[in-house]
Amino acid sequence: MGLGCHERVYQVVERIPRGRVATYGQIAAMLGDPRGARQVGYALAALGRGRPRPQVPWHRVVNAQGRANLGQEQRMRLETEGVVFDVAGRADLGQYGWDGVDAR
DNA sequence: ATCCTGACTGTTC
DNA sequence: AGAACAGCCAGGA
């Protein structure tokens, strides 16, 4: 993953359908780097560090446990799209998890 | 080139 | 179920 790895991450995230979520590790795997989950998070972190990319639905990216650790805004946005969180604050990946295909 | 940091993850207490 | 640990790798200083 050399230069431009951020762009590749953004392109995958942009493909996540509305109302679904994907995990960092899942996205990394799609990019061909099963161990690049952290880099995916790093790439998305760059968004809020001075990289305007309003088109990228960063809120649809959650951790491997279906938890939205980025504050209330992420959770609110997801709930607006129909994603339901359980009492533990986790989304059911089996139901809302994106399998990489636009149509389920 | 080297060191430090971090929107992660799986394993193990 | 929750917390600590250790790999992981790309950027920035």
Side-chain angles (χ1 to χ4, degrees):
Chain A
M1 309 254 292
L3 277 69
C5 78
H6 285 191
E7 276 302 322
R8 298 178 60 198
V9 172
Y10 301 149
Q11 288 176 18
V12 173
V13 175
E14 285 175 354
R15 280 165 42 204
I16 303 175
R18 186 176 172 287
R20 308 266 187 85
V21 297
T23 69
Y24 294 92
Q26 181 183 355
I27 294 171
M30 289 177 180
L31 293 172
D33 183 3
R35 315 196 187 290
R38 202 166 190 178
Q39 279 55 254
V40 173
Y42 188 81
L44 294 179
L47 289 176
R49 260 179 31 202
R51 299 221 158 179
R53 291 284 196 298
Q55 308 83 327
V56 180
W58 53 269
H59 56 281
R60 299 190 186 134
V61 183
V62 299
N63 66 19
Q65 302 175 349
R67 215 174 229 287
N69 296 319
L70 305 187
Q72 293 301 316
E73 184 178 351
Q74 177 179 26
R75 177 167 174 166
M76 181 192 73
R77 289 194 184 200
L78 289 175
E79 288 179 329
T80 297
E81 297 184 350
V83 177
V84 177
F85 290 85
D86 62 21
V87 290
R90 294 173 306 182
D92 186 340
L93 293 179
Q95 181 175 357
Y96 304 107
W98 181 43
D99 51 13
V101 186
D102 289 356
R104 178 167 307 204

